[in-house]
Amino acid sequence: MSQATQTDLSSGVSTRKMAGGAPQQKGPRFVLGRTAKYVILIAFVIVVLMPVYVLLVTSFKPPADVNPESSWGLPLRWPWESVNGGPTGFDNWVTAWDALAPALGRTFLLAIPAALIAAMLGSMNGFVLSRWRFPHASLVFTLILFGMFIPYQAVLTPLVEMKTTLGMPSNILTLLIVHVIYGLPICTLIFRNYYEGVPIELMEASRMDGAGMLRSYASIILPLSLPGFVVTIIWQFTSAWNDYLFALFLTDVQGGPVSLALNNLAQGAQLANYGAAMAGALIASFPTLVVYIILGKYFIGGLMSGSVKS
Amino acid sequence: MRKGIRNWGPPLLLLAPSLVLVAIFVYGLIIANIQVSMTDRHSLAAEGAFVGFENYITLLTEGRFLHSLLNLVVFTVVFIAGTMIFGFIWAWLLDKGVKAEGVFRSVYLFPMAVSFVASGVVWRWLLNSAEGDRASGLNRMLQAVGLDFLQNSWWNEPVWGMAAIAMPAIWQLSGYIMALFLAGFRGIPDELREAARMDGASEWKLYRHVIFPQLSPIALSALIIVSHMSLKVFDLIMAVTKAIYQTEVPATYMWIALTSNDYAKASAIATVLLVIASLFIIPYLIHTMREEKRSS
């Protein structure tokens, strides 16, 4: 029985290719065990998807139909049908969209540049720290890494004061700067691990040819870095999109990202208006879910490279 | 001299922007935070005179802060146990060759892509504390399946209510721990398992002596990651319960202190959090750094 095991950062998920079937006895016990395993796995799938079911069905119920007795049931009528001329299930989505649309735009303006800039800086750091060793390089790296693990509460009070002192606005720009800075440690880590896997000969060859460090970086390393960029950009985009802490401390609902707008919508909602809040939660999660579905394997790669050495 | 500049100039040039930013915004602000925590700036008007550790003493003898620490401990224990158990079980089941493994993996992992603020909307509904006729969410489901006696007021319970708040966190992060453990399982060479089986090791002995020791570094990483996430828990509580006393943790208490302009208290709470976090992050980082040196 030969099995090839491989792990690579770009996909993040290790795959084992089964070359030959395991020598298993396929008796009744085996069949029973296998069935039990699938039953358990599917039961967990149902539990994990339960909140999604609730979000979907509730978001399509008009307020008049949201009551405790039928709270787990499917909507009683089509989303466009109203109760006695009142709001329909679709109105939840319209209400949520109206409340979130401006913030959604602002959040794209925040998350995309924050991801690109942090990834670029992370790439430069990762390159230096992995391929151009200097004395105490690991200490410098560890000091940068510490920034990833601190509870951000430990910098928030002075950060808020700094913002006031410098007269920085309570808007996306301030938040953008903050996300770039606190994204640096993880981007550096991901790129450093990634570049460790780039053959050292490539660097040495270019050095032999008389290329300086900046030259080698621009013409050899950068073109090889695409997978590293995909991972860091996904990671940074998702964390900037989902951030609430910095947004709450540094911006306000009028100029803040979608997390603030959603919380504002949801906290205002009484039981009767849960539908709009749930539609809003789905709208606000849509971009990161699309990223997860389309680029899922890289997303996992980002999660893994934050913790596991490749 | 020229050679020195040529050797050290470019790397420093590339690193410099990040080093400056990290120096100011991580280390500089941590120092500034500690400084503020040692003053009497309890309002906008306060002078900010140095008072030493007074704020810390007040804090550590204050019932409300101790309550928030106790809440954090309950939350952390349940959160860690939950994510490690589910993450391990899922990885273990998936490791043994399952059809449609990718589908299971994607479903278990997807909550990680969603923010606590968004998932908090639905968990606030699921953990609704109303019972009986007014019950919705989980309480209503428990009635429907005939487990009425399990109905409870979730996060409104004193002390153990924090275990209810850990449920969404477990939902969100178990998949991540699964991904880590799965990578760990796949990293164990098959020769090792084969060799143990050849030697006549039982399944349990195989796990006890081969698999578990190989997985322990992953388990340690997972533990560090989950516990530092736990210390920072903020979004989830704000989304599910708002900043109220029953579910107060240091991070939400700090928010309340800061919004009432009690800068000194807010920074003192934050410093306590940083110290707790450092207790296990620093050893972890030192350990990682030593490993690095050995391997390079």
Side-chain angles (χ1 to χ4, degrees), chain A residues 207-261:
Chain A
R207 240 167 147 171
M208 290 291 199
D209 294 345
M213 128 159 246
L214 295 174
R215 189 66 203 280
S216 332
Y217 176 69
S219 56
I220 303 211
I221 298 295
L222 262 188
L224 288 173
S225 304
L226 190 66
F229 273 101
V230 174
V231 172
T232 41
I233 288 171
I234 291 172
W235 174 265
Q236 278 295 102
F237 177 85
T238 316
S239 51
W241 188 278
N242 286 341
D243 163 67
Y244 179 69
L245 181 70
F246 284 126
L248 183 65
F249 279 77
L250 298 172
T251 65
D252 46 42
V253 177
Q254 284 71 41
V258 73
S259 54
L260 279 195

Side-chain angles (χ1 to χ4, degrees), chain A residues 1 3 5 7 12-16 37-38 40-42 44-45 47-52 54-55 58 68-69 71-72 121 124-125 127-129 132-135 138-162 180-182 184-185 192 207 210-214 217 235 238 242-245 248-249 259 262-263 266-269 271 274 277-278 281 284-285 288-289 292 299-300 303-304 306-309, chain B residues 6-8 10-11 13-15 17-19 21-22 24-27 29-30 32-33 36 41 86 89-90 93-99 104-115 117-118 121-126 128 133-138 140-141 171 176 179-180 182-183 185-188 190-191 193-194 218 221 224-225 228 232 234-235 238-239 242 251 254-255 258 263 266-267 270 273-274 277-278 281-282 284-286 288-289 292-293 296:
Chain A
M1 185 173 124
Q3 293 182 341
T5 307
T7 314
V13 192
S14 48
T15 49
R16 177 189 296 157
K37 181 165 71 181
Y38 280 101
I40 297 169
L41 283 169
I42 291 168
F44 277 126
V45 165
V47 172
V48 172
L49 290 181
M50 201 171 68
V52 182
V54 170
L55 280 171
T58 314
E69 290 81 39
S71 58
W72 283 90
L121 289 169
M124 287 163 29
N125 299 340
F127 167 65
V128 173
L129 291 167
W132 211 280
R133 294 270 180 190
F134 52 90
S138 347
L139 179 67
V140 170
F141 176 59
T142 309
L143 286 174
I144 295 178
L145 216 53
F146 182 66
M148 185 173 117
F149 287 104
I150 57 163
Y152 293 132
Q153 278 78 15
V155 295
L156 274 173
T157 307
L159 199 59
V160 170
E161 292 204 283
M162 194 180 201
V180 167
I181 294 168
Y182 294 103
L184 280 177
R192 207 203 59 129
R207 240 167 147 171
M213 128 159 246
L214 295 174
Y217 176 69
W235 174 265
T238 316
N242 286 341
D243 163 67
Y244 179 69
L245 181 70
L248 183 65
F249 279 77
S259 54
L262 174 62
N263 205 50
Q267 300 286 12
L271 186 66
Y274 256 118
M278 299 223 182
S285 311
T288 51
L289 283 177
Y292 171 74
F299 177 73
I300 301 168
L303 295 178
M304 309 279 292
S307 52
V308 181
K309 295 277 168 54
Chain B
R6 206 174 130 74
N7 272 343
W8 304 121
L13 194 70
L14 287 190
L15 271 185
S18 307
L19 287 183
L21 290 175
V22 170
I24 295 173
F25 284 88
V26 175
Y27 296 94
L29 292 191
I30 286 175
N33 184 70
V36 176
R41 288 187 48 200
F86 287 118
I89 291 176
W90 296 347
L93 288 170
L94 289 179
D95 176 56
K96 296 171 144 189
V98 169
K99 271 188 202 139
F104 288 116
R105 216 172 47 201
S106 307
V107 171
Y108 295 156
L109 194 62
F110 99 87
M112 183 77 192
V114 181
S115 70
V117 175
V121 173
V122 63
W123 280 101
R124 193 149 72 94
W125 182 87
L126 286 168
N128 192 297
D133 287 348
R134 286 182 53 250
S136 60
L138 289 179
R140 175 62 62 172
M141 192 183 71
W171 175 77
Y176 181 29
L180 295 180
L182 203 52
F185 273 117
R186 304 277 150 102
I188 301 171
D190 283 301
E191 295 74 36
R193 301 176 194 229
E194 287 303 301
I218 299 258
S221 298
I224 301 276
I225 290 165
H228 104 269
K232 299 196 279 194
F234 177 77
D235 306 14
M238 296 294 275
K242 307 182 197 182
M254 183 231 164
W255 162 244
L258 195 60
Y263 294 92
S267 2
L273 269 183
L274 180 68
S278 304
I281 287 161
I282 289 175
Y284 177 72
L285 286 177
I286 291 174
T288 322
M289 196 171 91
E292 296 269 308
K293 275 192 178 149
S296 65

Side-chain angles (χ1 to χ4, degrees), chain B residues 3-226:
Chain B
K3 193 158 176 288
I5 291 174
R6 206 174 130 74
N7 272 343
W8 304 121
L12 277 180
L13 194 70
L14 287 190
L15 271 185
S18 307
L19 287 183
V20 171
L21 290 175
V22 170
I24 295 173
F25 284 88
V26 175
Y27 296 94
L29 292 191
I30 286 175
I31 292 167
N33 184 70
I34 295 171
Q35 223 161 24
V36 176
S37 75
M38 293 189 171
T39 64
D40 62 357
R41 288 187 48 200
H42 298 295
S43 71
L44 278 177
E47 288 281 312
F50 181 81
V51 294
F53 288 98
E54 197 184 288
N55 293 316
Y56 292 92
I57 294 163
T58 318
L59 208 54
L60 294 171
T61 51
E62 184 194 53
R64 187 169 170 186
F65 183 69
L66 296 177
H67 164 78
S68 78
L69 279 180
L70 176 68
N71 275 348
L72 186 62
V73 170
V74 174
F75 176 86
T76 304
V77 170
V78 179
F79 177 45
I80 291 180
T83 46
M84 296 296 272
I85 291 170
F86 287 118
F88 181 82
I89 291 176
W90 296 347
W92 178 68
L93 288 170
L94 289 179
D95 176 56
K96 296 171 144 189
V98 169
K99 271 188 202 139
E101 184 199 312
V103 176
F104 288 116
R105 216 172 47 201
S106 307
V107 171
Y108 295 156
L109 194 62
F110 99 87
M112 183 77 192
V114 181
S115 70
F116 277 129
V117 175
S119 69
V121 173
V122 63
W123 280 101
R124 193 149 72 94
W125 182 87
L126 286 168
L127 299 176
N128 192 297
S129 58
E131 293 174 46
D133 287 348
R134 286 182 53 250
S136 60
L138 289 179
N139 279 348
R140 175 62 62 172
M141 192 183 71
L142 291 170
Q143 288 175 8
V145 297
L147 294 170
D148 298 48
F149 62 94
L150 282 179
Q151 289 191 83
N152 65 78
S153 50
W154 304 107
W155 49 265
N156 259 325
E157 302 272 337
V159 185
W160 292 107
M162 282 312 282
I165 296 285
M167 288 169 61
I170 294 169
W171 175 77
Q172 205 126 354
L173 286 152
S174 295
Y176 181 29
I177 305 304
M178 171 203 69
L180 295 180
F181 273 126
L182 203 52
F185 273 117
R186 304 277 150 102
I188 301 171
D190 283 301
E191 295 74 36
L192 224 56
R193 301 176 194 229
E194 287 303 301
R197 288 213 181 91
M198 290 290 207
D199 293 344
S202 66
E203 276 298 294
W204 165 244
K205 279 195 170 154
L206 174 72
Y207 275 92
R208 173 79 185 72
H209 297 291
V210 179
I211 312 260
F212 288 152
Q214 293 273 325
L215 287 180
S216 58
I218 299 258
L220 182 70
S221 298
L223 207 65
I224 301 276
I225 290 165
V226 179

